[in-house]
Amino acid sequence: MTEPKDWATGVPAVVNSVYRTVSAAGLRRSAGALRVINQPEGFDCPGCAWPEPPPGERHRIEFCESGAKAIAHEATKSGADRAFFAEHSLADLRGRTDQWLTSSGRLTEPMVKQPGALHFEPISWEDALGTVAASLRSSTSPDAAIFYTSGRTSNEAAFVYQLLARCFGTNNLPDCSNLCHEPTSVALEEAIGIGKGSVRLADFVQADLIVIAGQNPGSNHPRMLTTLEAAKAAGARIIAINPLREAGLVRFKNPQTLKGIAGRGTKLADLHLAVRLGGDQALFQLWCKWLLESGDIAAGIDREFLESSTSGLPALAAHLSGVDEGDLLERAGLDRESAQAGLAMVAGARRMIVCWAMGITHHVHAVDTIREIVNLALLGGHIGRAGAGLCPVRGHSNVQGDRTMGVFERPTPALLDAMEREFGLPMPREDGLDSVAAISAMATGAACVFVGLGGNLARAAPDTALVEAAFSSLAMNVGIATTLNRTHLLSDGLTVLLPTLGRTDVDMGLSGPRTVSVEDSMGMVHGSTGVLRPPSDHVRSEVTILAGLGARLFNDEHPVAWSRFGVDYDVIRDHISRVVPGFTDFSARLGDHGGFELPHAPRDRREFDTASGRAQFGITHVRSVPTDALLLQTMRSHDQFNTSVYSSNDRYRSISGERDVLFMSATDLRRLGLQDGQRVDVVTDLPGPERRLRNQRLIEFPTPPGSAAAYFPEANVLVPLDHHGTIVSTPGYKSVPVRLEVAHMGALVAADSRSDGLSNA
């Protein structure tokens, strides 16, 4: 059996951080970047969205290994310049691995690939922007264009981007939220009236209990471990709910303390509940059932809050009274003793925080699971109270800010009304396409133009073969990006690459370096100012690129002052202050190095902007899964960030030099007559065309029976585009029924799992 590590970070993380950054960027650039990353005078890490402490409370080293890797990727001295593209044909680039493309370096000047051309060639900025504008104007309709963005984009660029798309005439503004925390936004909006979490960073050291479900902080949000260590020192207890025992939640060796360097570090999780894949909903519902059946204030129920601030409790109680406890335990994959141990901790907590990430949202029943999380928090009154609340942990540095700025395919009438008042222009009112619907539209020819502001949608999306075919048919594919990726290489039509500044780069304006802003996972808005010399003099900021495109796309009489946007970001922030709630006096408040906090009525005043004016309990139905079904989750390794794979190592899972692996329990290996180290094909067990991931090495791993895991994005080929939530279109990356075939022999060895009712096909 491959044993995962039982601790995270420590000296190896420090060594790897220094090695990666210095190897890629050199000693001087590395020192210059790492000195100010996540500091008030510097730039916000382009990695995750975990917040920083207030300026006076920050360490001088306020970054993690994952952040250092992101900096190495962005601050690299390598460049994909015109000589690079002259050397590597389109066919050559398409044949390269994603890891090779990631390491090819920064884009240094605009490049174009004409339809049918074999190479990308240099193009001037004037011609590049003119070409993009002309192609957009020649589209059959505004809705034939897709404007996609990732979470790295600044607030200022995101606002200009959504304004550009809507002035063009479409709400086709899908983003990476569609592929990650969309279920969170929907479930929280209906339950508490706002689709954002309700905690502050300071709440963690005041909490009695922190529940962490479907999240791997050690690899995906390592700075969170420091927060958890501080919470433990203050007396908090921690429950980890995850099919896999993740090293970062077992023990943390803080490299900024003697105990972390020379000692054993800090034990974090007091209880690990290894639920079956997708079993979180059943566990949270079971805890709600048991709490209500106890009827005791001492058992974690806040009667005063329930009576004054909630709606729907009688219906929930009636529903749960008819739910079978044994069925919930079976679906959760837990014995009664383990589940009761967790309940005792929940019931004894006066101040409880519940955190979750992709392990919760990447299921077809994700919205229902989050409804149950909210139900549990509401029963205990764990909202609007110091040390308590709901904490969705966002995966990319400004993905929450993009939504706040209006990057959303289903804009609220209030946003559109405010924009019409501000700019004197009608805004499109029809809902646009989310990421999954946009891919479908490209596949059918209904959409023929794709503009990507960052990101790598072709690799982030499910159903790899369908996605690549959809991109190949585009008339124009535009990438506003720092580095080359797979999405840029798929179109057989016109492709334009517009190189943009990264978070680390100096954005030089007329009066000096310019600052942009971001919003972290807890609603704090703060500035970000790059400090490194850009890779060339031909790289422009996202705002400047978008402003230039707007100036060419619309005539000189257009009410929006596009040319001013590229010169003075305060002009943009002034518009934002009048359009987006919470941003009054935006520029002035951004000047405060600590930034400012956006309003959150449930947290601040226990007020809920719902139909009833109260926090709303939700009723969900837990689906059963056959005991012999094998469900697959896709997951990231320790040495990658989203779709960017830095190496084939996964230190905390003891994997070195390979990614073609399938993690399975010893129980499932024996049941299926397989052995550790054997090679198999993984085949999607859903209706539709065959989807196969070939030649995976089986790894016996401590995970519950019925739960298997493979790496993202390689395993995305197994996820059908229509295998997503019933309310939102977030792909079911962590609930894919599969069967296994011995590689190269075609012998069926796994049980049929089609009867689990998980498909939306």
Side-chain angles (χ1 to χ4, degrees):
M1 173 185 288
T2 297
E3 291 289 348
K5 304 295 185 185
D6 65 357
W7 59 271
T9 314
V11 174
V14 177
V15 172
N16 198 37
S17 298
V18 173
Y19 171 76
R20 289 295 182 85
T21 52
V22 173
S23 297
L27 182 59
R28 173 178 286 187
R29 285 174 65 82
S30 297
L34 297 179
R35 180 180 58 83
V36 297
I37 181 175
N38 291 327
Q39 298 298 334
E41 70 275 17
F43 59 89
D44 188 71
C45 178
C48 77
W50 190 254
E52 292 80 44
E57 301 175 20
R58 293 182 199 179
H59 294 287
R60 283 310 306 173
I61 299 177
E62 193 64 56
F63 63 89
C64 64
E65 182 183 1
S66 294
K69 292 171 184 174
I71 297 306
H73 176 59
E74 187 173 290
T76 178
K77 293 185 293 184
S78 300
D81 55 14
R82 62 175 62 191
F84 171 88
F85 285 103
E87 178 183 355
H88 299 288
S89 68
L90 179 62
D92 180 10
L93 294 172
R94 285 175 171 174
R96 300 286 183 166
T97 65
D98 292 309
Q99 186 177 331
W100 187 91
L101 294 174
T102 293
S103 63
S104 62
R106 293 286 298 275
L107 297 170
T108 63
E109 63 181 313
M111 303 296 294
V112 63
K113 182 199 69 67
Q114 298 292 347
L118 302 180
H119 281 263
F120 282 90
E121 297 178 342
I123 185 174
S124 69
W125 273 108
E126 187 69 25
D127 289 344
L129 294 175
T131 297
V132 174
S135 185
L136 282 168
R137 284 194 296 268
S138 66
S139 300
T140 54
S141 80
D143 288 330
I146 306 295
F147 294 87
Y148 175 82
T149 186
S150 78
R152 188 186 64 82
T153 303
S154 69
N155 287 327
E156 291 77 9
F159 185 82
V160 174
Y161 195 52
Q162 61 86 29
L163 178 62
L164 178 77
R166 292 186 168 116
C167 286
F168 183 62
T170 185
N171 283 316
N172 286 348
L173 282 156
D175 71 340
C176 55
S177 280
N178 298 144
L179 304 177
C180 56
H181 262 293
E182 194 76 49
T184 293
S185 301
V186 170
L188 293 186
E189 183 76 36
E190 69 178 21
I192 65 173
I194 183 172
K196 299 182 181 182
S198 65
V199 299
R200 299 179 173 96
L201 191 62
D203 286 321
F204 281 80
V205 294
Q206 302 178 65
D208 300 322
L209 177 67
I210 301 168
V211 180
I212 302 174
Q215 187 194 355
N216 176 15
S219 290
N220 298 328
H221 312 90
R223 286 189 303 118
M224 182 179 178
L225 299 180
T226 304
T227 303
L228 296 178
E229 182 181 49
K232 290 287 289 187
R237 304 177 77 191
I238 295 175
I239 299 175
I241 305 172
N242 199 313
L244 304 176
R245 186 185 296 273
E246 301 292 6
L249 290 175
V250 178
R251 194 154 38 95
F252 172 46
K253 290 189 175 184
N254 188 338
Q256 300 196 50
T257 67
L258 181 61
K259 181 172 68 171
I261 295 175
R264 288 186 53 79
T266 301
K267 177 186 176 184
L268 291 183
D270 298 277
L271 177 66
H272 173 228
L273 297 176
V275 295
R276 293 183 64 187
L277 271 176
D280 314 80
Q281 178 193 0
L283 175 61
F284 282 105
Q285 186 174 98
L286 180 62
W287 282 346
C288 290
K289 174 181 173 68
W290 282 342
L291 284 178
L292 285 171
E293 288 176 349
S294 73
D296 186 359
I297 294 177
I301 294 179
D302 187 337
R303 294 289 182 188
E304 180 180 352
F305 172 76
L306 293 176
E307 292 174 3
S308 66
S309 302
T310 69
S311 177
L313 181 59
L316 176 66
H319 169 66
L320 294 182
S321 68
V323 174
D324 183 75
E325 172 187 307
D327 288 343
L328 293 179
L329 284 169
E330 182 180 18
R331 179 66 186 96
L334 298 172
D335 57 55
R336 194 175 195 277
E337 181 181 4
S338 298
Q340 283 278 2
L343 175 71
M345 296 170 69
V346 169
R350 170 65 178 163
R351 298 175 297 276
M352 179 179 71
I353 294 172
V354 186
C355 305
W356 68 93
M358 304 302 98
I360 296 296
T361 64
H362 277 169
H363 289 278
V364 294
H365 55 284
V367 172
D368 279 346
T369 300
I370 298 166
R371 285 169 172 159
E372 292 295 352
I373 290 173
V374 176
N375 286 345
L376 184 70
L378 294 181
L379 285 175
H382 299 297
I383 191 166
R385 173 190 295 158
L390 301 163
C391 182
V393 183
R394 309 283 175 169
H396 212 162
S397 64
N398 197 40
V399 64
Q400 186 161 295
D402 284 358
R403 279 296 175 87
T404 302
M405 291 297 107
V407 176
F408 190 30
E409 73 278 358
R410 290 180 285 114
T412 64
L415 172 67
L416 298 179
D417 290 345
M419 289 181 61
E420 288 184 348
R421 289 193 301 270
E422 180 69 12
F423 297 105
L425 286 167
M427 295 290 151
R429 296 281 168 164
E430 293 289 326
D431 285 351
L433 303 175
D434 63 19
S435 295
V436 166
I439 292 167
S440 294
M442 290 190 290
T444 61
C448 60
V449 172
F450 177 85
V451 182
L453 183 60
N456 186 7
L457 179 58
R459 279 295 179 260
D463 217 337
T464 308
L466 184 151
V467 169
E468 292 188 352
F471 271 93
S472 71
S473 64
L474 291 173
M476 182 176 69
N477 181 12
V478 181
I480 304 172
T482 57
T483 56
L484 190 65
N485 65 50
R486 185 68 55 184
T487 302
H488 305 146
L489 305 175
L490 298 176
S491 175
D492 294 327
L494 174 70
T495 302
V496 183
L497 301 181
L498 304 176
T500 185
L501 296 174
R503 199 68 70 70
T504 60
D505 298 326
V506 173
D507 180 0
M508 188 61 67
L510 296 177
S511 59
R514 296 187 289 192
T515 295
V516 294
S517 65
V518 296
E519 177 187 345
D520 66 32
S521 201
M522 296 180 188
M524 285 294 299
V525 178
H526 57 274
S528 178
T529 309
V531 297
L532 299 182
R533 180 180 175 83
S536 86
D537 294 334
H538 304 291
V539 176
R540 295 183 177 181
S541 73
E542 291 175 325
V543 172
T544 303
I545 294 170
L546 295 172
L549 178 58
R552 288 159 180 80
L553 187 59
F554 306 107
N555 59 42
D556 293 338
E557 287 74 39
H558 198 265
V560 178
W562 297 103
S563 59
R564 292 189 64 199
F565 288 172
V567 175
D568 187 354
Y569 295 173
D570 280 342
V571 173
I572 303 168
R573 288 190 276 264
D574 287 345
H575 286 302
I576 293 172
S577 70
R578 294 187 291 269
V579 170
V580 183
F583 284 83
T584 303
D585 297 326
F586 187 5
S587 291
R589 295 163 73 197
L590 191 63
D592 180 354
H593 284 317
F596 59 92
E597 183 179 71
L598 294 178
H600 191 290
R603 177 198 64 204
D604 302 337
R605 302 182 301 278
R606 278 191 167 178
E607 293 179 1
F608 304 94
D609 186 17
T610 62
S612 64
R614 292 167 167 250
Q616 183 67 46
F617 283 99
I619 293 176
T620 77
H621 300 273
V622 177
R623 302 175 182 179
S624 62
V625 174
T627 56
D628 61 354
L630 185 62
L631 290 182
L632 174 79
Q633 66 166 321
T634 71
M635 63 183 187
R636 292 152 181 78
S637 73
H638 179 65
D639 214 10
Q640 77 179 96
F641 178 71
N642 293 342
T643 59
S644 297
V645 178
Y646 303 127
S647 83
S648 297
N649 300 327
D650 193 352
R651 186 166 76 238
Y652 296 148
R653 298 190 182 104
S654 299
I655 301 298
S656 178
E658 60 180 333
R659 289 179 61 85
D660 295 329
V661 295
L662 181 70
F663 299 90
M664 286 180 62
S665 70
T667 300
D668 284 329
L669 288 174
R670 287 195 300 270
R671 176 173 64 87
L672 299 173
L674 298 169
Q675 296 180 352
D676 181 65
Q678 191 171 1
R679 292 281 175 178
V680 300
D681 286 359
V682 187
V683 184
T684 305
D685 208 357
L686 289 169
E690 181 181 88
R691 294 176 174 84
R692 181 180 296 264
L693 183 64
R694 297 186 182 276
N695 201 31
Q696 302 295 292
R697 184 169 75 88
L698 292 174
I699 293 183
E700 183 182 330
F701 204 76
T703 187
S707 302
Y711 287 127
F712 165 102
E714 292 89 343
N716 289 7
V717 66
L718 296 170
V719 187
L721 190 65
D722 58 4
H723 183 64
H724 55 66
T726 54
I727 298 173
V728 298
S729 297
T730 302
Y733 288 121
K734 290 179 169 54
S735 54
V736 186
V738 297
R739 66 179 188 273
L740 307 183
E741 296 181 6
V742 177
H744 311 305
M745 292 177 58
L748 182 66
V749 296
D752 186 349
S753 58
R754 288 183 182 174
S755 58
D756 64 4
L758 293 174
S759 174
N760 290 315

